[in-house]
Amino acid sequence: MESTEETATVPSTIAFHHRVIVASIFIASSIIGLFGNSLVIISVITTKKLRTITNILVVNLAVTDLLSCACFPFLVIGLLSQTGQYPLHESICASVVCVLHTCVLCSASTLVVIGFIRRYVITRSIRGHQGFHTPRKIISVALVIWMFSAAYMILPPVLGVGKLGYSTYYGICAFLVVTRPAFYYVTSQGILFATILLLTLMFYGLILHHVMRHNQQFREKFASEKDVFSTSGDANQSKGSSSPDSPTPMIKAINQKEVEITKNVFLVVCIFIVCFLASSVNFIIPGSSLSTLYGYMVMMTNSAINPIVYGLKHPNFQEAFKRILCCRRAPLEYVSK
C-alpha cells in the first residue's frame, strides 16, 4: 500500500475504530493463514500422492502466504498505536513492508504461473508438455518469481523514489510516497496488478473453454453412437443400453464433471478478483482514503483464503488434512519408500 508523506502540521488520521476493525481481521487472517498454509506444506511433504510437479508451485504459494500471515501481527501493532508512531523500531516496520509486498507480488505471480501450467498441461498431450513440465524447470520458475518480486520491491526505495516506513494517516506500515517520480511507481504497480489479474482470468477462461469444448465433443460422439445403436436392430440392444458403460450414463458423468470444474474455476477467479481488484484501482488512482485501507486489508486476506481454495477443494488435500489433524499414520500408498 502506498501513502503520501504526511505533514507535521496537519496530523490527520483514519478513525481509530476503523483501524480496530482492520486489526481484528488481520489477527483472524493471521491465525487462519498460518494454520492453513502450514497444513498445505506439511501435506505435500508427507503425502506421496501430493508430491507432484504442479504442487511445487502450490507449496511456493503457501510459503509466500505463510510469510505474509506471519507479518500481520506487526501490522496490527501499528494499527492499534495511538501515539502517531510505530511502537517498535522503524527498521522493523520497513522490513515488514518489504516482506509483505514481496510476498504479495510473488503470490499473485505464482497464481498466474499455476494457471498457465494447468492450461499448458490440460490442452496438450503428455509428449507435448514433458519438456517444460519438469521439477527442475518449475523450481527455476519459482526462483525467478521470487527474484523479480524482491527486486521490484527493493529497487524503488534504493533509487530514492520513496521509502518504507510507518504511515501516521493509515496507522500501518507502508510504502511512503515522498517524491514526484513516485507517481510512476504507484501507477506501474497498478498496471502490474491489473495485468496479473487479466492474465489469471485469461488462463482460467481458456481452461474452462477447452474443457467445455472437449466435453461437448464427447457428448456429440456418444449421442451419435447411441443413435447408431438404436437403429442397428441388434438383439442385445436393450441389454447393452442398460449397462453401466452405455453412452447415457457417461454423458451424465461428463455433464456433472463439467459443472464441478466450472464451479471450482469460477470460485478461484471470483476470490482473486475480490481480493485484488480494489487495491489495483487504488494503485492506479492513489490517495489517502478509507477505501485504500480496506482495499489493502482485503488484498492481504487472500493469503488466508488460498489454502481453502487450493487445498480443501482438492480430494487428495482433503484426505491429507484429515489425516494430519486426526494424527493418523499415512497408508502405505501415501508414504514414499
Side-chain angles (χ1 to χ4, degrees):
M1 179 177 67
E2 284 71 34
S3 172
T4 54
E5 180 94 345
E6 297 86 7
T7 60
T9 56
V10 186
S12 60
T13 59
I14 284 183
F16 186 70
H17 69 277
H18 287 294
R19 292 160 63 177
V20 171
I21 294 173
V22 174
S24 301
I25 295 176
F26 271 136
I27 292 173
S29 299
S30 179
I31 296 172
I32 296 172
L34 289 172
F35 180 73
N37 288 293
S38 298
L39 271 180
V40 171
I41 297 172
I42 295 172
S43 297
V44 175
I45 293 174
T46 61
T47 306
K48 184 178 180 181
K49 285 186 176 180
L50 292 176
R51 288 200 288 273
T52 63
I53 296 175
T54 303
N55 280 347
I56 294 174
L57 290 173
V58 174
V59 170
N60 186 64
L61 179 66
V63 170
T64 61
D65 293 339
L66 187 69
L67 291 174
S68 296
C69 293
C71 291
F72 289 170
F74 296 97
L75 296 181
V76 172
I77 292 174
L79 285 166
L80 298 181
S81 174
Q82 294 181 286
T83 62
Q85 296 179 346
Y86 191 71
L88 304 179
H89 196 274
E90 188 71 15
S91 61
I92 296 178
C93 185
S95 300
V96 167
V97 180
C98 186
V99 173
L100 269 175
H101 283 229
T102 300
C103 288
V104 168
L105 182 55
C106 185
S107 177
S109 301
T110 302
L111 291 177
V112 175
V113 176
I114 290 176
F116 172 77
I117 295 296
R118 287 180 176 177
R119 177 187 176 273
Y120 191 81
V121 173
I122 289 174
T123 59
R124 283 166 172 76
S125 63
I126 295 178
R127 290 183 180 179
H129 74 258
Q130 270 185 340
F132 176 78
H133 201 238
T134 62
R136 180 176 295 181
K137 291 184 179 180
I138 297 300
I139 292 174
S140 299
V141 170
L143 292 176
V144 170
I145 292 174
W146 274 104
M147 289 188 292
F148 168 74
S149 302
Y152 193 86
M153 186 62 238
I154 295 174
L155 285 179
V158 171
L159 296 176
V161 174
K163 69 176 185 178
L164 308 176
Y166 183 69
S167 169
T168 57
Y169 180 86
Y170 292 107
I172 202 169
C173 299
F175 181 89
L176 302 177
V177 175
V178 294
T179 59
R180 181 64 181 173
F183 170 77
Y184 300 103
Y185 171 70
V186 175
T187 304
S188 66
Q189 273 206 325
I191 295 174
L192 177 63
F193 277 96
T195 302
I196 289 175
L197 176 63
L198 291 176
L199 286 175
T200 304
L201 290 172
M202 182 185 71
F203 287 136
Y204 282 106
L206 290 173
I207 292 173
L208 182 60
H209 174 72
H210 175 81
V211 171
M212 293 180 67
R213 185 180 62 179
H214 191 66
N215 289 339
Q216 178 65 27
Q217 293 174 352
F218 268 105
R219 284 196 297 269
E220 292 175 355
K221 176 182 177 181
F222 291 135
S224 62
E225 289 180 356
K226 184 178 180 181
D227 292 338
V228 172
F229 291 149
S230 64
T231 58
S232 63
D234 192 344
N236 296 326
Q237 177 184 359
S238 58
K239 181 179 179 180
S241 61
S242 60
S243 66
D245 296 330
S246 62
T248 302
M250 295 181 71
I251 293 175
K252 291 181 179 179
I254 292 170
N255 289 334
Q256 184 177 2
K257 179 182 178 182
E258 180 178 329
V259 171
E260 187 63 27
I261 292 176
T262 303
K263 288 181 179 179
N264 291 341
V265 174
F266 183 73
L267 178 62
V268 170
V269 173
C270 284
I271 291 177
F272 189 78
I273 290 175
V274 170
C275 291
F276 282 84
L277 187 58
S279 290
S280 296
V281 173
N282 282 321
F283 284 146
I284 297 175
I285 309 175
S288 299
S289 63
L290 192 61
S291 63
T292 302
L293 178 63
Y294 280 102
Y296 181 74
M297 176 202 72
V298 171
M299 182 180 69
M300 288 300 175
T301 55
N302 183 255
S303 298
I305 297 174
N306 281 334
I308 300 174
V309 178
Y310 289 92
L312 296 181
K313 298 297 291 183
H314 195 292
N316 288 338
F317 271 107
Q318 291 178 357
E319 181 63 27
F321 286 0
K322 292 177 183 178
R323 175 175 53 80
I324 294 172
L325 294 176
C326 297
C327 299
R328 297 200 308 262
R329 180 176 295 180
L332 293 179
E333 63 270 19
Y334 281 82
V335 182
S336 61
K337 296 180 180 180

